[in-house]
Amino acid sequence: MWPVKEELTLGLLDGKACLVTGGAGSIGLATARLFLADGARVALFDRDAEPLARAADQVGGDDRVRTVVGDVTNEDDVAAGVAAAVERFGRLDVLVANAGTPAAAAPVTEFGVEEFDATFAVHVRGVFLACKHALRVLSDGGSVVIVSSVAGLRADAGVCAYVAAKHAQVGLMRSIAKEVAGRGIRVNTIHPGPVDNAFQAGIEDRLSALTGGDATEAFNAAIPLGRHAGADEIARSILYLATDQSSFTTASTLVVDGGMSA
Ligand SMILES: NC(=O)c1ccc[n+]([C@@H]2O[C@H](COP(=O)([O-])OP(=O)(O)OC[C@H]3O[C@@H](n4cnc5c(N)ncnc54)[C@H](O)[C@@H]3O)[C@@H](O)[C@H]2O)c1
């Protein structure tokens, strides 16, 4: 589905065990596919069994892949997901905290409290729980990649909960990175711009309805490279942060947005 040139796979994750939350989704699945191509074993964690089974099929579904059904906002589920990965692979070296939901678009004066709390539950509590449980067992020298957004560094009107939650992930990352640096574990956030996938299409539909304009065109006009990213382009940057290619990079914010936030 995504073009991976053979020469780009260098065995950078040979022998490593990785856990990807939101692993049945667009960026999570593209990441798993690249990780597997580079020699990793991957546990895919997501909400529902059926999309997870489809995802496992798409990446080959062999014994290097483990699927785990769970909700990142539920501490027992996250603990069980980490335990399942360690049980299958005997170790855990990389966490990609990627699960996320596109939040509602509404003016702050109309924004629902439940929607606000639900957005924070997935993006902030979910990342906190994944880090809490994965870092108890993560190998020294391992890597944590938190999938934030350009919305974690800048803002658009009408999406206050998503913007605040994505900014909060940077705070989590900075604090946790300092906490685990002594173990040689690196923790970074990645900040994709708009991706050409269903998640972003949903956001753009809601923003278009709110503003009366064409949000997709507006985003493309705001991106110097003039287009949305492919999920595989985000996955390649996640791969970089996951491997020793980024061995002196921690507590950093890697922007992959076609220049949008400059
Ligand atoms: N698509 C974009 O344009 C874009 C841009 C910047 C950042 N991001 C971020 O990238 C990440 C992945 O998004 P995507 O574009 O692949 O969207 P996606 O909807 O394809 O994937 C997200 C996955 O997370 C899972 N998920 C959601 N809530 C969960 C929960 N409570 N427990 C377990 N799993 C849960 C979903 O089931 C889904 O499979 C998200 O954190 C998103 O905020 C996306």
Side-chain angles (χ1 to χ4, degrees), residues 108-145:
V108 64
T109 48
E110 308 299 325
F111 210 94
V113 172
E114 280 181 14
E115 175 70 22
F116 188 89
D117 287 346
T119 304
F120 264 67
V122 176
H123 292 277
V124 186
R125 178 185 163 110
V127 168
F128 154 68
L129 288 175
C131 288
K132 174 177 175 177
H133 288 279
L135 283 166
R136 288 179 173 179
V137 296
L138 207 82
S139 310
D140 291 357
S143 172
V144 175
V145 185

PDB file of all heavy atoms in Angstrom, residues 108-145:
ATOM      1  N   VAL A 108     -14.719  28.456  21.533  1.00  0.00           N
ATOM      2  CA  VAL A 108     -14.532  28.096  22.944  1.00  0.00           C
ATOM      3  C   VAL A 108     -15.795  28.385  23.754  1.00  0.00           C
ATOM      4  O   VAL A 108     -16.128  27.645  24.693  1.00  0.00           O
ATOM      5  CB  VAL A 108     -13.290  28.816  23.543  1.00  0.00           C
ATOM      6  CG1 VAL A 108     -13.456  30.326  23.554  1.00  0.00           C
ATOM      7  CG2 VAL A 108     -12.984  28.286  24.935  1.00  0.00           C
ATOM      8  N   THR A 109     -16.531  29.417  23.379  1.00  0.00           N
ATOM      9  CA  THR A 109     -17.739  29.779  24.136  1.00  0.00           C
ATOM     10  C   THR A 109     -18.850  28.735  23.995  1.00  0.00           C
ATOM     11  O   THR A 109     -19.781  28.706  24.791  1.00  0.00           O
ATOM     12  CB  THR A 109     -18.281  31.148  23.642  1.00  0.00           C
ATOM     13  OG1 THR A 109     -18.319  31.125  22.212  1.00  0.00           O
ATOM     14  CG2 THR A 109     -17.394  32.288  24.111  1.00  0.00           C
ATOM     15  N   GLU A 110     -18.720  27.880  22.989  1.00  0.00           N
ATOM     16  CA  GLU A 110     -19.728  26.833  22.764  1.00  0.00           C
ATOM     17  C   GLU A 110     -19.168  25.439  23.029  1.00  0.00           C
ATOM     18  O   GLU A 110     -19.874  24.443  22.869  1.00  0.00           O
ATOM     19  CB  GLU A 110     -20.203  26.860  21.294  1.00  0.00           C
ATOM     20  CG  GLU A 110     -20.665  28.216  20.782  1.00  0.00           C
ATOM     21  CD  GLU A 110     -21.848  28.752  21.567  1.00  0.00           C
ATOM     22  OE1 GLU A 110     -22.690  27.940  21.988  1.00  0.00           O
ATOM     23  OE2 GLU A 110     -21.868  29.977  21.803  1.00  0.00           O
ATOM     24  N   PHE A 111     -17.894  25.340  23.384  1.00  0.00           N
ATOM     25  CA  PHE A 111     -17.224  24.028  23.409  1.00  0.00           C
ATOM     26  C   PHE A 111     -17.735  23.181  24.573  1.00  0.00           C
ATOM     27  O   PHE A 111     -17.755  23.620  25.726  1.00  0.00           O
ATOM     28  CB  PHE A 111     -15.700  24.226  23.518  1.00  0.00           C
ATOM     29  CG  PHE A 111     -14.921  23.127  22.854  1.00  0.00           C
ATOM     30  CD1 PHE A 111     -14.487  23.255  21.546  1.00  0.00           C
ATOM     31  CD2 PHE A 111     -14.652  21.950  23.530  1.00  0.00           C
ATOM     32  CE1 PHE A 111     -13.791  22.234  20.917  1.00  0.00           C
ATOM     33  CE2 PHE A 111     -13.958  20.921  22.924  1.00  0.00           C
ATOM     34  CZ  PHE A 111     -13.530  21.068  21.608  1.00  0.00           C
ATOM     35  N   GLY A 112     -18.120  21.959  24.288  1.00  0.00           N
ATOM     36  CA  GLY A 112     -18.675  21.076  25.324  1.00  0.00           C
ATOM     37  C   GLY A 112     -17.599  20.581  26.293  1.00  0.00           C
ATOM     38  O   GLY A 112     -16.508  20.191  25.872  1.00  0.00           O
ATOM     39  N   VAL A 113     -17.944  20.582  27.573  1.00  0.00           N
ATOM     40  CA  VAL A 113     -16.984  20.151  28.594  1.00  0.00           C
ATOM     41  C   VAL A 113     -16.644  18.673  28.423  1.00  0.00           C
ATOM     42  O   VAL A 113     -15.495  18.262  28.569  1.00  0.00           O
ATOM     43  CB  VAL A 113     -17.556  20.416  30.005  1.00  0.00           C
ATOM     44  CG1 VAL A 113     -16.664  19.805  31.078  1.00  0.00           C
ATOM     45  CG2 VAL A 113     -17.690  21.909  30.237  1.00  0.00           C
ATOM     46  N   GLU A 114     -17.649  17.872  28.095  1.00  0.00           N
ATOM     47  CA  GLU A 114     -17.389  16.426  27.922  1.00  0.00           C
ATOM     48  C   GLU A 114     -16.436  16.176  26.770  1.00  0.00           C
ATOM     49  O   GLU A 114     -15.534  15.338  26.851  1.00  0.00           O
ATOM     50  CB  GLU A 114     -18.697  15.678  27.681  1.00  0.00           C
ATOM     51  CG  GLU A 114     -19.439  15.416  28.966  1.00  0.00           C
ATOM     52  CD  GLU A 114     -20.735  14.650  28.738  1.00  0.00           C
ATOM     53  OE1 GLU A 114     -20.925  14.107  27.640  1.00  0.00           O
ATOM     54  OE2 GLU A 114     -21.544  14.619  29.680  1.00  0.00           O
ATOM     55  N   GLU A 115     -16.625  16.921  25.682  1.00  0.00           N
ATOM     56  CA  GLU A 115     -15.748  16.784  24.516  1.00  0.00           C
ATOM     57  C   GLU A 115     -14.326  17.217  24.880  1.00  0.00           C
ATOM     58  O   GLU A 115     -13.333  16.583  24.486  1.00  0.00           O
ATOM     59  CB  GLU A 115     -16.302  17.634  23.367  1.00  0.00           C
ATOM     60  CG  GLU A 115     -15.442  17.679  22.123  1.00  0.00           C
ATOM     61  CD  GLU A 115     -15.388  16.357  21.353  1.00  0.00           C
ATOM     62  OE1 GLU A 115     -16.306  15.545  21.518  1.00  0.00           O
ATOM     63  OE2 GLU A 115     -14.398  16.151  20.614  1.00  0.00           O
ATOM     64  N   PHE A 116     -14.238  18.300  25.642  1.00  0.00           N
ATOM     65  CA  PHE A 116     -12.926  18.790  26.071  1.00  0.00           C
ATOM     66  C   PHE A 116     -12.220  17.712  26.905  1.00  0.00           C
ATOM     67  O   PHE A 116     -11.063  17.356  26.654  1.00  0.00           O
ATOM     68  CB  PHE A 116     -13.088  20.077  26.890  1.00  0.00           C
ATOM     69  CG  PHE A 116     -11.781  20.756  27.198  1.00  0.00           C
ATOM     70  CD1 PHE A 116     -11.246  21.695  26.337  1.00  0.00           C
ATOM     71  CD2 PHE A 116     -11.081  20.441  28.365  1.00  0.00           C
ATOM     72  CE1 PHE A 116     -10.030  22.316  26.611  1.00  0.00           C
ATOM     73  CE2 PHE A 116      -9.868  21.054  28.643  1.00  0.00           C
ATOM     74  CZ  PHE A 116      -9.336  21.991  27.766  1.00  0.00           C
ATOM     75  N   ASP A 117     -12.929  17.163  27.886  1.00  0.00           N
ATOM     76  CA  ASP A 117     -12.331  16.147  28.766  1.00  0.00           C
ATOM     77  C   ASP A 117     -11.964  14.884  27.988  1.00  0.00           C
ATOM     78  O   ASP A 117     -10.919  14.269  28.241  1.00  0.00           O
ATOM     79  CB  ASP A 117     -13.298  15.781  29.899  1.00  0.00           C
ATOM     80  CG  ASP A 117     -13.413  16.887  30.942  1.00  0.00           C
ATOM     81  OD1 ASP A 117     -12.567  17.806  30.933  1.00  0.00           O
ATOM     82  OD2 ASP A 117     -14.356  16.835  31.757  1.00  0.00           O
ATOM     83  N   ALA A 118     -12.813  14.487  27.041  1.00  0.00           N
ATOM     84  CA  ALA A 118     -12.533  13.269  26.257  1.00  0.00           C
ATOM     85  C   ALA A 118     -11.267  13.453  25.418  1.00  0.00           C
ATOM     86  O   ALA A 118     -10.470  12.514  25.255  1.00  0.00           O
ATOM     87  CB  ALA A 118     -13.729  12.939  25.368  1.00  0.00           C
ATOM     88  N   THR A 119     -11.084  14.648  24.899  1.00  0.00           N
ATOM     89  CA  THR A 119      -9.890  14.928  24.089  1.00  0.00           C
ATOM     90  C   THR A 119      -8.637  14.820  24.957  1.00  0.00           C
ATOM     91  O   THR A 119      -7.626  14.216  24.555  1.00  0.00           O
ATOM     92  CB  THR A 119      -9.998  16.330  23.457  1.00  0.00           C
ATOM     93  OG1 THR A 119     -11.208  16.386  22.699  1.00  0.00           O
ATOM     94  CG2 THR A 119      -8.817  16.629  22.552  1.00  0.00           C
ATOM     95  N   PHE A 120      -8.705  15.400  26.144  1.00  0.00           N
ATOM     96  CA  PHE A 120      -7.556  15.298  27.057  1.00  0.00           C
ATOM     97  C   PHE A 120      -7.333  13.856  27.509  1.00  0.00           C
ATOM     98  O   PHE A 120      -6.196  13.424  27.705  1.00  0.00           O
ATOM     99  CB  PHE A 120      -7.723  16.245  28.254  1.00  0.00           C
ATOM    100  CG  PHE A 120      -7.019  17.541  28.029  1.00  0.00           C
ATOM    101  CD1 PHE A 120      -7.457  18.410  27.038  1.00  0.00           C
ATOM    102  CD2 PHE A 120      -5.891  17.882  28.756  1.00  0.00           C
ATOM    103  CE1 PHE A 120      -6.786  19.599  26.777  1.00  0.00           C
ATOM    104  CE2 PHE A 120      -5.209  19.060  28.498  1.00  0.00           C
ATOM    105  CZ  PHE A 120      -5.651  19.928  27.513  1.00  0.00           C
ATOM    106  N   ALA A 121      -8.405  13.103  27.689  1.00  0.00           N
ATOM    107  CA  ALA A 121      -8.254  11.722  28.152  1.00  0.00           C
ATOM    108  C   ALA A 121      -7.423  10.911  27.162  1.00  0.00           C
ATOM    109  O   ALA A 121      -6.491  10.194  27.551  1.00  0.00           O
ATOM    110  CB  ALA A 121      -9.623  11.080  28.353  1.00  0.00           C
ATOM    111  N   VAL A 122      -7.719  11.031  25.879  1.00  0.00           N
ATOM    112  CA  VAL A 122      -6.995  10.232  24.890  1.00  0.00           C
ATOM    113  C   VAL A 122      -5.576  10.757  24.702  1.00  0.00           C
ATOM    114  O   VAL A 122      -4.601   9.995  24.762  1.00  0.00           O
ATOM    115  CB  VAL A 122      -7.734  10.229  23.527  1.00  0.00           C
ATOM    116  CG1 VAL A 122      -6.919   9.484  22.476  1.00  0.00           C
ATOM    117  CG2 VAL A 122      -9.094   9.584  23.665  1.00  0.00           C
ATOM    118  N   HIS A 123      -5.443  12.046  24.484  1.00  0.00           N
ATOM    119  CA  HIS A 123      -4.147  12.578  24.059  1.00  0.00           C
ATOM    120  C   HIS A 123      -3.176  12.825  25.221  1.00  0.00           C
ATOM    121  O   HIS A 123      -1.960  12.751  25.028  1.00  0.00           O
ATOM    122  CB  HIS A 123      -4.344  13.877  23.271  1.00  0.00           C
ATOM    123  CG  HIS A 123      -5.007  13.676  21.945  1.00  0.00           C
ATOM    124  ND1 HIS A 123      -4.332  13.286  20.815  1.00  0.00           N
ATOM    125  CD2 HIS A 123      -6.311  13.781  21.565  1.00  0.00           C
ATOM    126  CE1 HIS A 123      -5.169  13.182  19.802  1.00  0.00           C
ATOM    127  NE2 HIS A 123      -6.379  13.456  20.233  1.00  0.00           N
ATOM    128  N   VAL A 124      -3.697  13.140  26.403  1.00  0.00           N
ATOM    129  CA  VAL A 124      -2.801  13.481  27.517  1.00  0.00           C
ATOM    130  C   VAL A 124      -2.728  12.316  28.509  1.00  0.00           C
ATOM    131  O   VAL A 124      -1.667  11.743  28.741  1.00  0.00           O
ATOM    132  CB  VAL A 124      -3.235  14.790  28.209  1.00  0.00           C
ATOM    133  CG1 VAL A 124      -2.199  15.192  29.257  1.00  0.00           C
ATOM    134  CG2 VAL A 124      -3.396  15.908  27.174  1.00  0.00           C
ATOM    135  N   ARG A 125      -3.882  11.952  29.076  1.00  0.00           N
ATOM    136  CA  ARG A 125      -3.893  10.794  29.989  1.00  0.00           C
ATOM    137  C   ARG A 125      -3.373   9.541  29.264  1.00  0.00           C
ATOM    138  O   ARG A 125      -2.615   8.748  29.823  1.00  0.00           O
ATOM    139  CB  ARG A 125      -5.324  10.582  30.481  1.00  0.00           C
ATOM    140  CG  ARG A 125      -5.547   9.405  31.401  1.00  0.00           C
ATOM    141  CD  ARG A 125      -7.062   9.319  31.655  1.00  0.00           C
ATOM    142  NE  ARG A 125      -7.433   8.031  32.187  1.00  0.00           N
ATOM    143  CZ  ARG A 125      -7.842   7.827  33.439  1.00  0.00           C
ATOM    144  NH1 ARG A 125      -7.896   8.829  34.285  1.00  0.00           N
ATOM    145  NH2 ARG A 125      -8.174   6.629  33.835  1.00  0.00           N
ATOM    146  N   GLY A 126      -3.782   9.356  27.996  1.00  0.00           N
ATOM    147  CA  GLY A 126      -3.367   8.177  27.224  1.00  0.00           C
ATOM    148  C   GLY A 126      -1.859   8.114  27.055  1.00  0.00           C
ATOM    149  O   GLY A 126      -1.252   7.047  27.217  1.00  0.00           O
ATOM    150  N   VAL A 127      -1.239   9.236  26.735  1.00  0.00           N
ATOM    151  CA  VAL A 127       0.223   9.253  26.574  1.00  0.00           C
ATOM    152  C   VAL A 127       0.898   9.068  27.933  1.00  0.00           C
ATOM    153  O   VAL A 127       1.893   8.339  28.062  1.00  0.00           O
ATOM    154  CB  VAL A 127       0.673  10.559  25.886  1.00  0.00           C
ATOM    155  CG1 VAL A 127       2.187  10.726  25.974  1.00  0.00           C
ATOM    156  CG2 VAL A 127       0.228  10.555  24.419  1.00  0.00           C
ATOM    157  N   PHE A 128       0.352   9.723  28.950  1.00  0.00           N
ATOM    158  CA  PHE A 128       0.904   9.541  30.306  1.00  0.00           C
ATOM    159  C   PHE A 128       0.884   8.062  30.705  1.00  0.00           C
ATOM    160  O   PHE A 128       1.890   7.511  31.182  1.00  0.00           O
ATOM    161  CB  PHE A 128       0.086  10.384  31.299  1.00  0.00           C
ATOM    162  CG  PHE A 128       0.105   9.877  32.710  1.00  0.00           C
ATOM    163  CD1 PHE A 128       1.268   9.919  33.484  1.00  0.00           C
ATOM    164  CD2 PHE A 128      -1.043   9.328  33.276  1.00  0.00           C
ATOM    165  CE1 PHE A 128       1.272   9.434  34.787  1.00  0.00           C
ATOM    166  CE2 PHE A 128      -1.040   8.834  34.580  1.00  0.00           C
ATOM    167  CZ  PHE A 128       0.130   8.885  35.334  1.00  0.00           C
ATOM    168  N   LEU A 129      -0.256   7.394  30.498  1.00  0.00           N
ATOM    169  CA  LEU A 129      -0.363   5.982  30.892  1.00  0.00           C
ATOM    170  C   LEU A 129       0.582   5.096  30.077  1.00  0.00           C
ATOM    171  O   LEU A 129       1.217   4.184  30.629  1.00  0.00           O
ATOM    172  CB  LEU A 129      -1.808   5.488  30.725  1.00  0.00           C
ATOM    173  CG  LEU A 129      -2.816   6.025  31.746  1.00  0.00           C
ATOM    174  CD1 LEU A 129      -4.225   5.559  31.394  1.00  0.00           C
ATOM    175  CD2 LEU A 129      -2.445   5.587  33.168  1.00  0.00           C
ATOM    176  N   ALA A 130       0.674   5.376  28.785  1.00  0.00           N
ATOM    177  CA  ALA A 130       1.575   4.568  27.949  1.00  0.00           C
ATOM    178  C   ALA A 130       3.013   4.737  28.425  1.00  0.00           C
ATOM    179  O   ALA A 130       3.765   3.754  28.543  1.00  0.00           O
ATOM    180  CB  ALA A 130       1.427   4.968  26.481  1.00  0.00           C
ATOM    181  N   CYS A 131       3.408   5.979  28.715  1.00  0.00           N
ATOM    182  CA  CYS A 131       4.779   6.213  29.212  1.00  0.00           C
ATOM    183  C   CYS A 131       4.964   5.564  30.587  1.00  0.00           C
ATOM    184  O   CYS A 131       5.980   4.903  30.837  1.00  0.00           O
ATOM    185  CB  CYS A 131       5.060   7.713  29.308  1.00  0.00           C
ATOM    186  SG  CYS A 131       5.248   8.509  27.707  1.00  0.00           S
ATOM    187  N   LYS A 132       3.988   5.732  31.465  1.00  0.00           N
ATOM    188  CA  LYS A 132       4.090   5.178  32.822  1.00  0.00           C
ATOM    189  C   LYS A 132       4.388   3.676  32.774  1.00  0.00           C
ATOM    190  O   LYS A 132       5.315   3.191  33.428  1.00  0.00           O
ATOM    191  CB  LYS A 132       2.782   5.438  33.585  1.00  0.00           C
ATOM    192  CG  LYS A 132       2.730   4.773  34.952  1.00  0.00           C
ATOM    193  CD  LYS A 132       1.445   5.122  35.700  1.00  0.00           C
ATOM    194  CE  LYS A 132       1.382   4.341  37.012  1.00  0.00           C
ATOM    195  NZ  LYS A 132       0.196   4.692  37.807  1.00  0.00           N
ATOM    196  N   HIS A 133       3.609   2.946  31.984  1.00  0.00           N
ATOM    197  CA  HIS A 133       3.749   1.485  32.000  1.00  0.00           C
ATOM    198  C   HIS A 133       4.878   0.991  31.105  1.00  0.00           C
ATOM    199  O   HIS A 133       5.601   0.057  31.475  1.00  0.00           O
ATOM    200  CB  HIS A 133       2.404   0.833  31.680  1.00  0.00           C
ATOM    201  CG  HIS A 133       1.462   1.001  32.830  1.00  0.00           C
ATOM    202  ND1 HIS A 133       1.505   0.185  33.943  1.00  0.00           N
ATOM    203  CD2 HIS A 133       0.526   1.952  33.086  1.00  0.00           C
ATOM    204  CE1 HIS A 133       0.599   0.607  34.826  1.00  0.00           C
ATOM    205  NE2 HIS A 133      -0.005   1.674  34.321  1.00  0.00           N
ATOM    206  N   ALA A 134       5.071   1.625  29.956  1.00  0.00           N
ATOM    207  CA  ALA A 134       6.160   1.176  29.072  1.00  0.00           C
ATOM    208  C   ALA A 134       7.520   1.462  29.716  1.00  0.00           C
ATOM    209  O   ALA A 134       8.438   0.634  29.636  1.00  0.00           O
ATOM    210  CB  ALA A 134       6.052   1.857  27.716  1.00  0.00           C
ATOM    211  N   LEU A 135       7.646   2.605  30.365  1.00  0.00           N
ATOM    212  CA  LEU A 135       8.963   2.968  30.916  1.00  0.00           C
ATOM    213  C   LEU A 135       9.351   2.124  32.125  1.00  0.00           C
ATOM    214  O   LEU A 135      10.524   2.083  32.501  1.00  0.00           O
ATOM    215  CB  LEU A 135       9.001   4.467  31.238  1.00  0.00           C
ATOM    216  CG  LEU A 135       9.174   5.339  29.988  1.00  0.00           C
ATOM    217  CD1 LEU A 135       8.866   6.801  30.292  1.00  0.00           C
ATOM    218  CD2 LEU A 135      10.588   5.198  29.417  1.00  0.00           C
ATOM    219  N   ARG A 136       8.398   1.421  32.702  1.00  0.00           N
ATOM    220  CA  ARG A 136       8.756   0.488  33.780  1.00  0.00           C
ATOM    221  C   ARG A 136       9.593  -0.672  33.255  1.00  0.00           C
ATOM    222  O   ARG A 136      10.366  -1.276  33.989  1.00  0.00           O
ATOM    223  CB  ARG A 136       7.486  -0.068  34.443  1.00  0.00           C
ATOM    224  CG  ARG A 136       6.778   0.967  35.290  1.00  0.00           C
ATOM    225  CD  ARG A 136       5.510   0.378  35.902  1.00  0.00           C
ATOM    226  NE  ARG A 136       4.917   1.323  36.838  1.00  0.00           N
ATOM    227  CZ  ARG A 136       3.796   1.102  37.513  1.00  0.00           C
ATOM    228  NH1 ARG A 136       3.136  -0.035  37.332  1.00  0.00           N
ATOM    229  NH2 ARG A 136       3.342   1.998  38.348  1.00  0.00           N
ATOM    230  N   VAL A 137       9.418  -0.985  31.964  1.00  0.00           N
ATOM    231  CA  VAL A 137      10.091  -2.171  31.405  1.00  0.00           C
ATOM    232  C   VAL A 137      10.984  -1.847  30.204  1.00  0.00           C
ATOM    233  O   VAL A 137      11.696  -2.721  29.716  1.00  0.00           O
ATOM    234  CB  VAL A 137       9.048  -3.238  30.964  1.00  0.00           C
ATOM    235  CG1 VAL A 137       8.279  -3.760  32.156  1.00  0.00           C
ATOM    236  CG2 VAL A 137       8.080  -2.678  29.923  1.00  0.00           C
ATOM    237  N   LEU A 138      10.928  -0.605  29.707  1.00  0.00           N
ATOM    238  CA  LEU A 138      11.666  -0.278  28.479  1.00  0.00           C
ATOM    239  C   LEU A 138      13.165  -0.488  28.685  1.00  0.00           C
ATOM    240  O   LEU A 138      13.719  -0.116  29.719  1.00  0.00           O
ATOM    241  CB  LEU A 138      11.396   1.169  28.062  1.00  0.00           C
ATOM    242  CG  LEU A 138      11.532   1.442  26.568  1.00  0.00           C
ATOM    243  CD1 LEU A 138      10.245   1.042  25.832  1.00  0.00           C
ATOM    244  CD2 LEU A 138      11.789   2.928  26.303  1.00  0.00           C
ATOM    245  N   SER A 139      13.816  -1.070  27.692  1.00  0.00           N
ATOM    246  CA  SER A 139      15.255  -1.322  27.774  1.00  0.00           C
ATOM    247  C   SER A 139      16.014  -0.001  27.901  1.00  0.00           C
ATOM    248  O   SER A 139      15.636   1.003  27.280  1.00  0.00           O
ATOM    249  CB  SER A 139      15.761  -1.999  26.505  1.00  0.00           C
ATOM    250  OG  SER A 139      14.970  -3.108  26.184  1.00  0.00           O
ATOM    251  N   ASP A 140      17.117  -0.039  28.637  1.00  0.00           N
ATOM    252  CA  ASP A 140      18.023   1.115  28.647  1.00  0.00           C
ATOM    253  C   ASP A 140      18.452   1.381  27.211  1.00  0.00           C
ATOM    254  O   ASP A 140      18.697   0.439  26.441  1.00  0.00           O
ATOM    255  CB  ASP A 140      19.253   0.821  29.513  1.00  0.00           C
ATOM    256  CG  ASP A 140      18.900   0.745  30.995  1.00  0.00           C
ATOM    257  OD1 ASP A 140      17.722   0.969  31.350  1.00  0.00           O
ATOM    258  OD2 ASP A 140      19.817   0.448  31.791  1.00  0.00           O
ATOM    259  N   GLY A 141      18.539   2.644  26.840  1.00  0.00           N
ATOM    260  CA  GLY A 141      18.905   2.985  25.466  1.00  0.00           C
ATOM    261  C   GLY A 141      17.724   2.984  24.507  1.00  0.00           C
ATOM    262  O   GLY A 141      17.902   3.214  23.311  1.00  0.00           O
ATOM    263  N   GLY A 142      16.526   2.727  25.036  1.00  0.00           N
ATOM    264  CA  GLY A 142      15.331   2.676  24.189  1.00  0.00           C
ATOM    265  C   GLY A 142      14.840   4.067  23.783  1.00  0.00           C
ATOM    266  O   GLY A 142      15.494   5.082  24.069  1.00  0.00           O
ATOM    267  N   SER A 143      13.684   4.074  23.123  1.00  0.00           N
ATOM    268  CA  SER A 143      13.165   5.345  22.592  1.00  0.00           C
ATOM    269  C   SER A 143      11.650   5.419  22.747  1.00  0.00           C
ATOM    270  O   SER A 143      10.949   4.429  22.528  1.00  0.00           O
ATOM    271  CB  SER A 143      13.533   5.463  21.103  1.00  0.00           C
ATOM    272  OG  SER A 143      12.901   6.588  20.522  1.00  0.00           O
ATOM    273  N   VAL A 144      11.178   6.603  23.121  1.00  0.00           N
ATOM    274  CA  VAL A 144       9.747   6.882  23.168  1.00  0.00           C
ATOM    275  C   VAL A 144       9.460   8.000  22.172  1.00  0.00           C
ATOM    276  O   VAL A 144      10.125   9.044  22.204  1.00  0.00           O
ATOM    277  CB  VAL A 144       9.305   7.320  24.582  1.00  0.00           C
ATOM    278  CG1 VAL A 144       7.834   7.733  24.584  1.00  0.00           C
ATOM    279  CG2 VAL A 144       9.562   6.214  25.602  1.00  0.00           C
ATOM    280  N   VAL A 145       8.509   7.753  21.290  1.00  0.00           N
ATOM    281  CA  VAL A 145       8.100   8.778  20.321  1.00  0.00           C
ATOM    282  C   VAL A 145       6.627   9.080  20.562  1.00  0.00           C
ATOM    283  O   VAL A 145       5.779   8.182  20.480  1.00  0.00           O
ATOM    284  CB  VAL A 145       8.296   8.302  18.864  1.00  0.00           C
ATOM    285  CG1 VAL A 145       7.971   9.437  17.897  1.00  0.00           C
ATOM    286  CG2 VAL A 145       9.706   7.781  18.635  1.00  0.00           C
TER     287      VAL A 145
END
